[in-house]
Amino acid sequence: MLAEKAWHHVVFVRDGTRVRVHLDGNAAPEISGEFAHTLPAGKTSLFFGGRNDRLYGLEGRLDEVAVYERSLSAKEIAGHYQASGLKLPVVAATVPHDLFAASIIAA
């Protein structure tokens, strides 16, 4: 489970059509698969955190975005995370909805 309202180190890696997402320095990707989509011909802009028309915006903040001309290795990703000084975020305990609802009704 992902800790909410906490900083996370997220790395998206593309190697041809193979993509993977590493979270908080983990060597094993959280997400991996094939994705052939690229920039349309003649387009040179990338938008981070949302689209330029404000549709599908990120609910959060971005800091220190970097783009490389090559794929980063899992070792490099872990090194970047360690250099960031971030600590693993703590996931808040959650109460199942039915238990929470039952405690409200019983009160």
Side-chain angles (χ1 to χ4, degrees), residues 4-71:
E4 296 179 12
K5 298 188 186 285
W7 283 103
H8 291 278
H9 184 260
V10 181
V11 178
F12 176 87
V13 178
R14 174 184 287 283
D15 187 4
T17 61
R18 299 279 313 150
V19 294
R20 63 186 196 273
V21 177
H22 294 262
L23 183 62
D24 295 327
N26 288 326
E30 294 289 318
I31 302 168
S32 64
E34 296 279 331
F35 187 63
H37 183 73
T38 59
L39 289 175
K43 301 294 180 181
T44 58
S45 299
L46 295 174
F47 295 92
F48 296 93
R51 294 175 12 171
N52 65 342
D53 60 4
R54 298 181 187 244
L55 191 60
Y56 308 118
L58 172 72
E59 292 185 30
R61 296 181 182 168
L62 297 175
D63 185 34
E64 299 182 33
V65 173
V67 178
Y68 295 84
E69 291 187 18
R70 61 180 178 78
S71 297

